[in-house]
Structure formats: structure tokens, C-alpha cells
Amino acid sequence: MNNAVFRDLPGQEAVVEQLEKAAAAASAMLAGQQPEPGAMTHAWLFTGPPGSGRSVAARAFAAALLCPYGGCGQCASCHQVQAGTHADLLLIRPEGLSYGVKQTRDLVLRAAGQPTGGRWQIVLFEDADRCTEQAANALLKAIEEPAPRTVWLLCAPSAEDLVTTIRSRCRVVTLVVPASAAVAKVLVERDGIEPARALAAARAAQGHVGRARRLATDPAAARRRADVLRVPLAMTSLGPALSAAAALVRTAEDEAKAVTEGLDEPERDALRQAFGEGSTGKGVAKAMRGMAGAMKDLEDRQKSRATRVKRDTLDGALLDLALFYRDILMIQLGADVELANAGAEPELARAGSELGLANGADLRQVASASSPESTLRRIQAIMHCRERLTLNVAPLLAVEEMTLSLVAG
Ligand SMILES: [Zn+2]
């Protein structure tokens, strides 16, 4: 097999086999040969829990379809897919909290075009579950009456997240959460990370390859994780607890800001250029007035995206925190499962000494300090906080409320 593009999908052998067959059938169709019947179709839905690699799989499939060698991972086409710059790949992420109907109509129009590279026109729709209802209707029309060379790749946590009418027209690809060992193997072999560190990062990232790689290589990611681990250790009294909670919110906001600022300015520059700012001549004044409106639209979209990224980032930190308490619960119940924080002992010890805990800190010490009932209540408090955040409660307020429940135990 020549499909190097699929190598970032550890533990997904069944999915990779299905996609490789489909890509081979698609190539046969382009070459005017008889494809394997039923292997290829024009609409796909990639599902699986967060971190299982939905968008990685969709992106790899797109590369395999567009590459003249079936997804070699080496050629210009493969590199362009990886960089998100391939002319025949429309990469769609929600800019705001959900896709609007206008955004989707533009997309549907573009998707009906001919592929410039002579192979396929691919629309990769990440977080397709964030479509508004009207947008879903526009999308449905496009999928019902597909252009002959257009392939739709939708990603969503589960098939139930999409309306039945769309779901029933897609072939569903289901990814599983890969085992930590499989993820660690990728980090060792591809990124040259030392095995023990790779395994600790893989466990902490719960099978999410990208996150595991960031945890093992990016100091900022490691710092965020330290922030999360400090929270449960600080729950012995209210003062340190509240400051640990505030740090959690602040770090999430800083991280979100770094992400969105990197996107905002180039978008504004591109818009100014599109309106010919700086040029002179007839009609320029009129164009500038048009630009003001477009700029306002863009800034509104950017604001809404910033809110979404901030919320998603904080939610990720809360999930990490819940995962910590799940580990504690497993120890308290004596369950024989792999602990997500099994590799976090050095970080825990460091956080413990920063907080001045006399006895240091490890998972078993934290577990022995409370009961399973209390741990369950704490997990519930975290889940409740996540829910409050989706209702637009101010993040710091919601996290402080949660902290009070965590301290109460
Ligand atoms: Zn290639």
C-alpha cells in the first residue's frame, strides 16, 4: 500500500482499510476502469468521540482522493491538503458558534464547481453538527443532487448529531478511541519522543494524537495541564481553591486569544486588499463605504469565533479536570483500568510543593482523602459547570460556583 497519508490514525485499522478501498475505487473511476462496486460514494460522515481523529481521517481521505498516487504523503498535492491550501479542497470550520444559511449557500455554490486538478472537488465540513437548521437544509439539497465530481466529507461526534435526512445520505465512518499504547507508538516513531514521556502524554490526552503530541512537545500545553492538576490539590481551603480556579480561566482565555489573534489580523488585511484600500481613482470612495460594512461583518464573525474558541478551550480544561476525578474514583473503587493521569506524578508532585502541601501529592493520597460519593459529587459539579457555560454564564462566575462545590466535596 502506498497510502502514507493514513499513518496518523493509530488503532483505526478498520476505518483505514475502508478508506483505502474507497480511494482505490475513486481512482479507478477517474481512469475509466471498473471500480469495486459500492466502495466509493459522494457523501461521507466521520463520527467518533472527541480526539478519536475524525478530522484527521477526513483530511487523510481527502489527500488520498486528490493525490495521483493514492495518498503518497510526499507529492505537492498531499502537502497542499496537509497545509489546507489545495485548490480542490474546501475546508470549512464554523467561524461563529454555528453555520449560518448564507455561509452554507456560498459553500454549496462553490462546491458545484469543476475540480481544477482534474480529480475531485472535496468539501470537508468539520463540526457539521454546528449547522443551523436552515443551513442544514441548504446542505441537504447539495448532497441530494451531487455534482458528479464533488465529494462531501462531514465530521460530527455521532451520527445522531445530524438531521436524519442528511445522515441517511452519507456513508458513516465510525472511529474508535485508540489505546494509549498505539498513540504513544506514533509519538515515538514519528516524533522521536522518549517512550515513557510519550506514554504519559498519550494517557493524559486519552487517545487524542494531536493533543498527546502537543503535551509532549509544547511547553505551553504542559503549563496548561499543570494548571488543571493544581485545582484538585488546592481544594483543601477556599482561598487557594479560588485562585487555582481563576488561573484555569485565565490560562484558557490566554490560549484562546493566542489562537484567534493569529487569525484575525490576516483576515482584516485580506479584506482591505480585496477592497483595494490605498488605491486612488473613480469609485474608490464608494468602495471604501462598502468596505466599512464588510469589515463590520467580519469583526462580528471574529468576535463570535473568539467566544467559541474561549468556551471550547475552557471546556477542554474542565474535561481534563473531570478526568482527574474519574481516575480518583477508579482508585477509590479499586477498579482495574488504565488511569489517564498515571504519568502525571511528577507534575502532581511539583504542583503539590508549589501549594506547600506537606505530604507531597500523588493520585493515591488524593484518593484516600475523600470518599467515592464525594468524588462523584465533584464530577457532577464539573459537568454542571460545563452546562452553565453553554448557557453563556460568565466563565469566571461559573468556575467559581464549581469551585465552591469542589471544596465542599
Ligand atoms: Zn501524494
Side-chain angles (χ1 to χ4, degrees):
M1 262 297 155
N2 216 356
N3 309 49
V5 287
F6 291 113
R7 69 185 168 184
D8 239 358
L9 290 163
Q12 311 287 358
E13 285 75 16
V15 165
V16 170
E17 192 187 341
Q18 183 185 11
L19 297 178
E20 283 180 336
K21 266 198 189 138
S27 275
M29 284 156 81
L30 292 178
Q33 296 156 356
Q34 194 59 37
E36 184 184 326
M40 181 59 191
T41 183
H42 74 283
W44 297 74
L45 172 57
F46 292 81
T47 68
S52 56
R54 299 188 293 259
S55 58
V56 176
R59 184 84 76 111
F61 188 37
L65 290 173
L66 292 171
C67 169
Y69 316 104
C72 66
Q74 307 285 329
C75 69
S77 169
C78 284
H79 284 305
Q80 284 161 0
V81 171
Q82 214 47 51
T85 56
H86 198 293
D88 292 330
L89 173 65
L90 293 176
L91 210 52
I92 318 294
R93 293 195 185 101
E95 286 169 16
L97 289 169
S98 60
Y99 289 107
V101 65
K102 183 175 177 300
Q103 217 179 345
T104 314
R105 282 215 185 103
D106 290 348
L107 167 72
V108 167
L109 277 178
R110 276 187 66 192
Q114 279 294 315
T116 57
R119 293 181 70 84
W120 306 95
Q121 171 85 257
I122 296 179
V123 187
L124 200 172
F125 217 116
E126 286 184 8
D127 302 319
D129 52 309
R130 296 196 199 208
C131 262
T132 61
E133 199 186 324
Q134 290 160 308
N137 286 334
L139 186 60
L140 176 62
K141 266 224 165 64
I143 294 179
E144 272 178 335
E145 299 154 22
R149 288 287 190 88
T150 302
V151 181
W152 293 83
L153 309 179
L154 313 182
C155 304
S158 74
E160 288 67 39
D161 291 318
L162 293 188
V163 292
T164 328
T165 40
I166 292 185
R167 195 197 320 165
S168 63
R169 282 171 178 80
C170 295
R171 181 157 314 157
V172 179
V173 174
T174 308
L175 292 121
V176 294
V177 176
S180 304
V183 174
K185 193 161 169 271
V186 175
L187 298 189
V188 171
E189 287 174 2
R190 286 202 51 198
D191 304 285
I193 294 165
E194 187 252 322
R197 199 151 136 241
L199 189 59
R203 281 186 182 135
Q206 289 281 286
H208 191 306
V209 183
R211 268 184 74 199
R213 182 176 290 133
R214 271 201 303 282
L215 267 179
T217 56
D218 174 6
R223 208 171 316 128
R224 281 192 295 281
R225 187 157 163 71
D227 268 351
V228 169
L229 292 174
R230 201 169 298 122
V231 173
L233 299 184
M235 287 308 144
T236 45
S237 61
L238 197 55
L242 286 176
S243 77
L248 197 68
V249 174
R250 204 167 44 235
T251 313
E253 285 182 349
D254 287 350
E255 186 186 359
K257 206 167 152 204
V259 170
T260 47
E261 274 181 356
L263 299 168
D264 289 354
E265 197 50 44
E267 285 174 357
R268 286 198 290 267
D269 284 347
L271 186 73
R272 284 191 202 101
Q273 244 169 29
F275 275 92
E277 194 182 56
S279 53
T280 50
K282 251 183 162 176
V284 168
K286 197 171 162 223
M288 285 300 127
R289 280 196 295 279
M291 184 176 85
M295 189 60 85
K296 169 92 177 52
D297 276 356
L298 175 65
E299 283 169 356
D300 285 349
R301 280 209 309 277
Q302 289 180 337
K303 222 184 257 166
S304 143
R305 175 176 64 198
T307 306
R308 176 175 64 81
V309 173
K310 218 189 294 183
R311 188 190 288 172
D312 288 356
T313 312
L314 184 56
D315 193 55
L318 290 173
L319 281 173
D320 278 350
L321 187 59
L323 198 58
F324 180 88
Y325 281 115
R326 190 215 60 159
D327 279 2
I328 297 298
L329 185 64
M330 292 301 122
I331 295 174
Q332 288 171 333
L333 297 175
D336 183 24
V337 295
E338 185 181 42
L339 300 178
N341 292 284
E345 295 298 347
E347 288 153 293
L348 273 173
R350 201 175 317 130
S353 71
E354 276 169 25
L355 288 163
L357 299 182
N359 308 324
D362 68 30
L363 288 171
R364 274 164 215 287
Q365 277 164 345
V366 177
S368 64
S370 70
S371 65
E373 292 74 24
S374 152
T375 306
L376 265 178
R377 279 195 298 273
R378 285 173 163 152
I379 293 174
Q380 275 163 2
I382 298 166
M383 294 305 160
H384 181 67
C385 176
R386 296 181 60 217
E387 235 174 86
R388 300 266 287 151
L389 289 170
T390 65
L391 300 172
N392 283 327
V393 175
L396 189 58
L397 183 67
V399 171
E400 280 178 356
E401 284 172 2
M402 173 192 81
T403 308
L404 295 181
S405 310
L406 292 181
V407 173

